Amino acid sequence: MLYGTETCPYCIQARAYLRERAIPFIDRNVDSSDQGRRDFASLGKQAVPVILVGDRLLTGFNKKHLDAALDQVGYSDAR
């Protein structure tokens, strides 16, 4: 699950990175979706992107951290 906006450059990079590696994800826009906004608010975070991978909550887009989280849930071959 990725919580982000359409204009955030880090959100755009995170989406592209996940798509390049054919990692399935749900994309929640916190600007235009009431459900996305509510779900994001319940996480208690202020900045986007927020990426949920398994039970890990990642704030921001960091390839190294995202790869480690993906490896942990079995996407190690995705790189």
Side-chain angles (χ1 to χ4, degrees):
M1 175 94 54
L2 184 148
Y3 293 94
T5 67
E6 293 299 319
T7 57
C8 162
Y10 300 110
C11 300
I12 293 166
Q13 289 175 15
R15 286 184 190 101
Y17 189 75
L18 291 168
R19 287 180 182 130
E20 281 173 17
R21 283 147 185 80
I23 305 295
F25 68 99
I26 297 169
D27 193 358
R28 296 287 167 124
N29 189 316
V30 301
D31 280 341
S32 63
S33 164
D34 289 337
Q35 183 66 48
R37 207 174 359 265
R38 283 191 299 272
D39 291 350
F40 178 71
S42 73
L43 299 174
K45 299 293 182 180
Q46 299 296 316
V48 292
V50 171
I51 306 168
L52 298 172
V53 180
D55 61 356
R56 292 186 63 181
L57 182 72
L58 307 172
T59 303
F61 175 57
N62 179 302
K63 287 181 186 181
K64 183 178 176 181
H65 294 160
L66 182 53
D67 284 341
L70 290 168
D71 287 349
Q72 191 175 29
V73 296
Y75 281 105
S76 58
D77 60 331
R79 279 182 269 160

